[in-house]
């Protein structure tokens, strides 16, 4: 899909390549990453605590890094990663709209319907079509600086340096995965240290996924040599995964997700990727008998200066198809996930010909965590890999486990190679509801069809365009 730059959108303005977008105003890192970590000294004590290093510049990290500055910058990657997640025009919300999980009926901003559902996404619209790019690359640029700094910093042991590298490359892979999840065939940048006047090229989707795999696998090797502890404190969202050895289980969980994505997209071969997914899952924290919510989370706080989760806003609503399509239990009541995650509105909400009577129970406080990856997803990832390899009985066992434990539904005895993928996607829809997965799942299995349209005038957007500034910086009027 090409995103053509309109004449109005293409009017001259500063076009700063995203990979260097944070080098401005004295080349200081933005609040999205390092500065965010420094300011987080005001966060509540159970979140992130770092010293106030008086806003060190990029130069200080590149030329004379100190252990405390490197640690703060590495820890700041967690803050940078969560910023675009818990807001109405962030990753969860916008992908929820495109995947027909959610609506945002904001009377002050009809673009949540007009642009997201009624028209192709606009490459010049920073809050919508051009969104979910700059913040990720600001974080990726910070991570690249951390990797360069940790090589020459004094005061860290070799094991501590390896721990920082393993953590940083894992977070880079996570950020880059979320970028390609939004851009798909448009591609993304995989070089994060190009000079401002020589922007790095846009890499293909295949190149991006291969780079993600490289980062995760290199991170694994670093973490295995990372000693007993990180030289900085992780957030409470990493409880149980806060040492190099336990963080490696999180790394392998992400690796399994990436392998399944690549298998479904036939990037590098389906068999190879689905086998890689099963191997990674064996090294992850998958536990069919454990808590399904066990996992790693973005955490938020109501403390002064910290980021809040605002997905509880009353304008953020659930798509009516979630009720129309829900499976009923033996007693006639809906799937337990529907009951636990959705609520009935006091009055039907309407906007631009759309209406819904459903809202979310999820994220009902400003400090509600948002999952990065959970045990429930890992079990479904194992089912997906086994489907891809033709192991239908093994896949059915995991799917039925989720049906029974998460949905309160009876096991299915009729699953075959012909219908099991449909069942997997149904279980992922309700198990991973409003976590940023549905639109990606539909696209990678070629299920983004006109059947998703709520009205005949709507469109089905397959990907976000590359932002206009990135195209202009490369001398192009269209990107992706």
């Amino acid at each position: 899909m090409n995103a053509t730059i309109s004449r109005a959108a293409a009017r001259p303005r500063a076009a700063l390549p995203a990979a260097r977008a944070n080098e401005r105003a004295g080349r200081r890192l933005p609040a999205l990453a390092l500065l965010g970590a420094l300011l987080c000294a005001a966060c509540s004590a159970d979140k992130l605590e770092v010293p106030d290093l008086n806003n060190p510049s990029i130069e200080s990290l590149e030329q004379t890094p100190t252990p405390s500055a490197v640690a703060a910058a590495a820890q700041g990657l967690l803050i940078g990663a969560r910023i675009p997640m818990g807001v109405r025009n962030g990753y969860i919300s916008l992908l929820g709209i495109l995947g027909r999980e959610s609506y945002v009926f904001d009377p002050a901003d009809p673009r949540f319907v007009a642009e997201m559902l009624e028209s192709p996404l606009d490459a010049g619209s920073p809050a919508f079509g051009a969104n979910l790019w700059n913040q990720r690359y600001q974080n990726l640029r910070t991570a690249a600086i951390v990797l360069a700094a940790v090589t020459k910093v004094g005061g860290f042991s070799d094991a501590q340096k390896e721990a920082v590298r393993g953590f940083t490359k894992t977070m880079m892979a996570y950020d880059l995965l979320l970028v390609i999840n939004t851009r798909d065939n448009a591609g993304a940048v995989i070089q994060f240290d190009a000079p401002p006047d020589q922007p790095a090229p846009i890499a293909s989707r295949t190149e991006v996924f291969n780079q993600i795999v490289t980062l995760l696998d290199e991170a694994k090797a670093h973490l295995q040599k990372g000693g007993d502890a990180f030289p900085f404190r992780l957030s409470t969202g990493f409880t149980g995964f806060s040492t190099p050895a336990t963080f490696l289980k999180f790394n392998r969980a992400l690796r399994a997700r990436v392998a399944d994505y690549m298998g479904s997209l036939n990037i590098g071969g389906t068999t190879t990727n689905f086998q890689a997914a099963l191997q990674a899952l064996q090294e992850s924290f998958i536990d069919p008998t454990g808590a399904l919510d066990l996992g790693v989370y973005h955490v938020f706080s109501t403390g002064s200066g910290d980021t809040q989760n605002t997905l509880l806003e009353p304008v953020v609503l659930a798509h009516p198809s979630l009720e129309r399509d829900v499976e009923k239990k033996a007693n006639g009541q809906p799937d337990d996930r529907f009951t636990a995650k959705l609520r009935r509105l006091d009055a039907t909400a309407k906007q631009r010909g759309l209406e819904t009577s459903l809202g979310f129970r999820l994220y009902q406080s400003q400090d509600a965590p948002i999952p990065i990856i959970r045990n429930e997803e890992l079990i479904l990832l194992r089912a997906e890999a086994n489907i891809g390899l033709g192991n239908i009985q093994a896949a059915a066992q995991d799917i039925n486990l989720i049906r029974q434990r998460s949905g309160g539904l009876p096991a299915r005895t009729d699953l075959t190679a012909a219908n099991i993928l449909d069942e997997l996607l149904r279980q992922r829809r309700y198990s991973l509801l409003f976590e940023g997965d549905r639109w990606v799942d539909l696209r990678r299995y070629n299920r983004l069809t006109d059947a998703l349209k709520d009205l005949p005038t709507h469109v089905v957007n397959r990907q976000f365009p590359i932002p206009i500034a990135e195209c202009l910086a490369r001398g192009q009027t269209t990107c992706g």
Side-chain angles (χ1 to χ4, degrees):
M1 178 189 302
N2 287 332
T4 303
I5 309 302
S6 69
R7 186 176 300 274
R11 61 181 179 274
R13 63 179 186 178
L16 187 64
R20 301 287 282 186
N22 50 343
E23 299 195 26
R24 64 181 83 188
R27 296 186 63 202
R28 293 192 182 276
L29 290 171
L32 297 177
L34 174 59
L35 190 55
L38 306 178
L39 293 176
C40 199
C43 301
S44 60
D46 66 336
K47 305 299 188 230
L48 296 172
E49 293 179 352
V50 294
D52 182 357
L53 302 178
N54 199 22
N55 301 347
S57 65
I58 289 177
E59 286 89 343
S60 69
L61 276 173
E62 290 178 327
Q63 298 172 15
T64 57
T66 64
S68 55
V70 172
Q75 190 186 48
L77 298 178
L78 297 178
I79 298 169
R82 75 179 176 179
I83 285 176
M85 302 303 290
V87 292
R88 70 172 74 174
N89 69 325
Y91 185 89
I92 300 294
S93 178
L94 294 187
L95 269 64
I97 294 170
L98 294 177
R100 275 58 176 185
E101 290 183 300
S102 61
Y103 292 134
V104 174
F105 286 174
D106 184 349
D109 194 343
R111 291 177 297 173
F112 286 99
V113 176
E115 182 171 345
M116 297 299 295
L117 297 175
E118 294 177 354
S119 66
L121 295 173
D122 182 358
S125 176
F128 294 92
N131 201 351
L132 307 177
W133 178 278
N134 284 344
Q135 291 171 321
R136 291 291 169 199
Y137 279 106
Q138 287 165 348
N139 222 34
L140 285 161
R141 175 58 181 159
T142 301
I145 293 170
V146 170
L147 290 178
V150 76
T151 299
K152 55 188 174 183
V153 69
F156 277 163
S157 68
D158 289 344
Q160 287 175 318
K161 289 183 178 182
E162 288 293 276
V164 172
R165 292 185 183 107
F167 169 83
T168 301
K169 289 185 179 181
T170 300
M171 296 309 298
M172 292 175 78
Y174 172 72
D175 278 318
L176 194 54
L177 177 62
L178 268 57
V179 172
I180 199 61
N181 279 352
T182 60
R183 265 63 198 192
D184 193 47
N185 282 321
V189 175
I190 59 176
Q191 181 184 347
F192 314 122
D193 56 358
D197 59 343
Q198 299 176 24
I202 303 294
S204 69
R205 182 179 68 178
T206 294
E207 291 172 319
V208 175
F209 270 105
N210 286 337
Q211 179 64 15
I212 293 168
V213 169
T214 296
L215 287 167
L216 288 171
D217 289 349
E218 288 180 352
K220 173 185 175 180
H222 293 309
L223 291 166
Q224 288 173 328
K225 297 181 287 186
D228 297 329
F230 290 109
F232 52 88
R233 183 181 177 187
L234 276 65
S235 77
T236 55
F238 285 80
T239 299
F241 303 93
S242 58
T243 68
T246 54
F247 187 88
L248 178 56
K249 295 179 181 293
F250 164 63
N251 170 287
R252 294 295 87 188
L254 291 180
R255 180 66 179 89
R257 178 193 282 173
V258 170
D260 269 2
Y261 281 15
M262 294 174 71
S264 65
L265 296 168
N266 196 20
I267 297 174
T270 56
T271 299
T272 298
N273 279 298
F274 288 131
Q275 289 174 338
L278 293 181
Q279 177 60 40
L281 286 166
Q282 289 179 1
E283 302 173 73
S284 75
F285 59 91
I286 188 171
D287 183 0
T289 65
L292 297 179
D293 283 340
L294 172 68
V296 178
Y297 293 77
H298 293 293
V299 292
F300 301 85
S301 169
T302 57
S304 174
D306 201 2
T307 301
Q308 299 176 352
N309 182 351
T310 59
L311 293 176
L312 76 165
E313 293 177 328
V315 296
V316 179
L317 303 168
H319 198 279
S321 65
L322 292 167
E323 183 171 26
R324 184 171 63 244
D325 299 340
V326 71
E327 188 173 349
K328 300 296 179 60
K329 299 191 296 182
N331 62 4
Q333 295 301 306
D335 184 320
D336 287 341
R337 290 165 292 188
F338 179 91
T339 304
K341 299 178 181 185
L342 299 166
R343 62 184 176 86
R344 184 76 52 190
L345 300 177
D346 293 335
T348 299
K350 300 180 181 181
Q351 190 175 72
R352 300 180 70 89
L354 301 173
E355 62 180 56
T356 183
S357 59
L358 293 177
F360 290 103
R361 295 188 192 276
L362 293 165
Y363 316 133
Q364 285 302 295
S365 67
Q366 292 178 327
D367 59 357
I370 292 176
I372 298 176
I373 194 163
R374 299 185 291 116
N375 186 34
E376 188 164 3
E377 180 181 352
L378 298 187
I379 295 168
L380 290 170
L381 288 173
R382 187 167 68 180
E384 181 174 357
N386 275 315
I387 292 171
L389 294 170
N391 303 327
I392 304 305
Q393 183 175 354
Q397 183 175 346
D398 279 336
I399 287 173
N400 279 326
L401 184 153
I402 296 301
R403 284 178 58 87
Q404 293 172 302
R405 289 191 56 194
S406 190
L409 300 169
R412 285 190 62 174
T413 60
D414 62 337
L415 293 174
T416 67
N419 64 13
I420 196 168
L421 180 58
D422 291 337
E423 180 62 21
L424 171 76
L425 293 175
R426 183 181 299 111
Q427 296 313 306
R428 284 182 61 87
R429 180 182 188 184
Y430 288 93
S431 284
L432 308 180
L433 179 63
F434 210 39
E435 295 181 15
D437 297 275
R438 178 64 173 170
W439 181 59
V440 177
D441 285 349
L442 291 172
R443 182 181 63 211
R444 61 194 181 92
Y445 280 107
N446 296 315
R447 305 294 179 92
L448 283 177
T449 69
D450 286 349
L452 292 173
K453 294 180 181 180
D454 296 310
L455 296 172
T457 54
H458 286 187
V459 300
V460 179
N461 281 301
R462 177 184 173 84
Q463 63 196 34
F464 288 74
I466 303 294
I468 182 176
E470 300 293 335
C471 301
L472 296 178
R474 292 164 176 81
Q476 302 172 240
T477 56
T478 60
C479 281

